[in-house]
């Protein structure tokens, strides 16, 4: 495996980490209208991710930086062609982060309600938009001979990309509700379990449609990793069903773990479908497409990045694991009631 291919999979690994970790963050935020029956329960839901949401979000910064350094052509084409959708994602993430910090600055119920709505919007918009973006990347977009996207904003709103967006929205929602069920007690805990059961069917249906369509897309493209696409897609489907079954049986930890594996395998399926391209072109694919080979940095740059990643990545993973261990306990209703109202 050459360094360019290695870095393709490192970028994939970083997006796996981002969608697994920030994915359930999005789900927790979207669950507020369903689980936050009063201010105490809303604080209980938000506090499940209070110590970790910003740490989870840094994965997309690292992924973007590595994409810029390892595949500058891919980065340039992606951010110029998808400028408006990515700007919307950025604004939504800013809105969500500000809302987490500002909602408790006043005791006024209307003030808190406005920021709670912003948390929901700031979670739902990226959850859907990331799916649309990756759906377009995997399916291919209108790139000309200069590797410039010429399809326009509405060209990104095609059926496959929209289906992937709906799937990521529902999957992250289910993933987040599983996390709430794992981390809370009392009424919020029970309501989360019930919500998992209600959200299961639409999520499974959307995910099944995405898996079948993606496998068909990979087969049509004669993807060299078709076996991995099929395997990852099938296992993701099994894990998603297992999540629902385990939740119904009261195994919150195992259900959440099944959600983690589902998201991981889903991202692997998308990257395996994409390989060896990084952005296929729908205009003369053989000439205009960006591939791992023609979009990567120089071997010297990739070599320096590889040594840096070898040192830095284990430290990042260790710190992330330590943080989750420190904040592993449930967020109980009693602890929220005993804490100051601004906590």
């Amino acid at each position: 495996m050459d360094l360019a291919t290695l870095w393709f999979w490192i970028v994939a690994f970083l997006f796996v980490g981002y969608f697994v970790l920030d994915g359930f963050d999005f789900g927790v935020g979207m669950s507020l209208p369903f689980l936050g029956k009063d201010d105490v329960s809303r604080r209980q839901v938000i506090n499940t991710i209070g110590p970790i949401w910003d740490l989870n979000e840094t994965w997309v910064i690292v992924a973007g930086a590595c994409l810029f350094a390892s595949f500058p052509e891919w980065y340039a084409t992606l951010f110029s062609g998808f400028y408006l959708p990515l700007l919307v994602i950025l604004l939504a993430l800013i809105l969500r982060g500000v809302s987490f910090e500002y909602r408790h600055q006043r005791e006024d119920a209307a003030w808190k309600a406005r920021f709670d709505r912003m948390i929901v919007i700031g979670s739902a918009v990226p959850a859907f938009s990331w799916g649309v973006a990756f759906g377009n990347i995997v399916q291919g977009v209108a790139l000309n001979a200069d590797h410039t996207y010429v399809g326009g904003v509405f060209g990104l709103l095609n059926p496959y990309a929209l289906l992937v967006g709906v799937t990521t929205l529902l999957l992250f929602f289910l993933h987040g509700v599983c996390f709430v069920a794992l981390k809370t007690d009392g009424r919020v805990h029970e309501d989360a379990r019930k919500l998992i059961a209600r959200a299961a069917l639409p999520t499974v249906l959307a995910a099944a449609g995405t898996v079948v369509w993606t496998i068909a897309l990979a087969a049509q493209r004669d993807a060299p990793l078709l076996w991995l696409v099929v395997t990852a897609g099938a296992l993701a489907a099994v894990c998603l069903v297992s999540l629902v079954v385990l939740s119904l049986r009261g195994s919150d930890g195992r259900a959440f773990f099944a959600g983690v594996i589902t998201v991981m395998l889903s991202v692997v399926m998308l990257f395996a479908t994409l390989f060896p391209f990084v952005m296929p072109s729908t205009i003369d694919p053989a000439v205009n497409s960006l591939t791992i080979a023609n979009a990567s940095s120089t071997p010297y740059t990739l070599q320096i990045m590889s040594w840096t990643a070898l040192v830095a990545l284990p430290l990042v993973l260790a710190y992330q694991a330590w943080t989750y261990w420190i904040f592993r306990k449930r967020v109980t209703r009693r602890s929220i009631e005993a804490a100051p109202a601004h906590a």
Side-chain angles (χ1 to χ4, degrees):
M1 180 187 296
D2 60 20
L3 286 178
T5 303
L6 173 64
W7 271 96
F8 174 83
W9 291 112
I10 291 176
V11 170
F13 170 78
L14 293 171
F15 275 106
V16 166
Y18 174 62
F19 287 133
V20 166
L21 297 174
D22 220 20
F24 73 75
D25 276 4
F26 294 148
V28 171
M30 288 186 283
S31 73
L32 266 181
F34 305 95
L35 302 179
K37 304 300 184 183
D38 54 35
D39 186 58
V40 174
S41 60
R42 286 190 288 273
R43 286 167 59 199
Q44 193 176 1
V45 170
I46 292 171
N47 282 14
T48 61
I49 58 172
I52 56 175
W53 69 267
D54 47 356
L55 178 62
N56 293 343
E57 209 165 85
T58 57
W59 279 76
V60 73
I61 299 173
V62 176
C66 288
L67 185 64
F68 171 76
S70 57
F71 294 98
E73 284 278 349
W74 186 8
Y75 181 93
T77 300
L78 178 64
F79 276 79
S80 60
F82 291 23
Y83 179 80
L84 183 58
L86 292 176
L87 178 62
V88 169
I89 291 175
L90 177 61
L91 293 175
L93 292 176
I94 293 172
L95 186 72
R96 186 178 68 129
V98 168
S99 300
F100 282 137
E101 300 299 331
Y102 274 74
R103 78 171 301 276
H104 61 263
Q105 297 299 324
R106 291 184 185 177
E107 291 304 309
D108 180 47
W111 170 275
K112 291 184 177 182
R114 283 194 292 270
F115 283 109
D116 287 344
R117 285 193 293 270
M118 291 180 190
I119 290 173
V120 176
I121 295 170
S123 300
V125 169
F128 174 74
S129 300
W130 278 121
V132 172
F134 267 83
N136 277 288
I137 293 170
V138 171
Q139 180 179 236
V141 292
L143 299 183
N144 63 18
D146 296 322
H147 299 150
T148 301
Y149 175 64
V150 293
V153 174
F154 292 104
L156 302 176
L157 303 179
N158 55 79
Y160 175 74
L162 291 173
L163 176 61
V164 178
V166 170
T167 302
T168 54
L169 178 75
L170 293 173
L171 184 57
F172 290 164
F173 178 76
L174 194 64
H175 189 32
V177 177
C178 283
F179 187 73
V180 174
L182 174 65
K183 291 286 290 181
T184 59
D185 69 347
R187 182 177 179 180
V188 172
H189 174 76
E190 296 302 323
D191 287 348
R193 282 187 173 177
K194 294 175 183 177
L195 186 56
I196 291 170
R198 293 200 300 270
L201 182 59
T203 306
V204 169
L205 291 177
T210 296
V211 168
V212 171
W213 199 335
T214 303
I215 292 174
L217 180 64
Q220 182 182 14
R221 188 180 291 166
D222 197 20
L225 296 180
L226 179 60
W227 65 271
L228 182 56
V229 177
V230 174
T231 303
L235 290 177
V238 171
C239 288
L240 181 56
V241 174
S242 299
L243 179 158
V244 179
V245 173
L246 290 167
S247 177
L248 292 174
R249 291 182 177 179
S251 300
D252 299 321
R254 293 180 180 180
F256 178 70
F257 181 73
V260 170
I261 302 301
T262 301
V263 176
M264 288 176 60
L265 290 171
S266 300
V267 180
V268 169
M269 178 187 68
L270 293 176
F271 272 88
T273 304
L274 187 59
F275 184 89
F277 297 98
V278 293
M279 281 193 84
S281 174
T282 56
I283 305 173
D284 197 355
V287 176
N288 296 353
S289 295
L290 282 172
T291 66
I292 293 174
N294 67 17
S296 63
S297 294
T298 64
Y300 181 68
T301 300
L302 296 177
Q303 186 176 9
I304 293 175
M305 290 178 61
S306 299
W307 284 110
T308 303
L310 187 63
V311 175
L313 195 55
L315 296 176
V316 171
L317 295 175
Y319 177 72
Q320 186 102 40
W322 177 80
T323 303
Y324 274 81
W325 176 255
I326 292 297
F327 296 103
R328 67 189 181 276
K329 294 183 178 180
R330 287 183 183 268
V331 181
T332 65
R333 186 173 181 88
R334 179 178 296 180
S335 67
I336 297 296
E337 291 173 337
H342 62 270

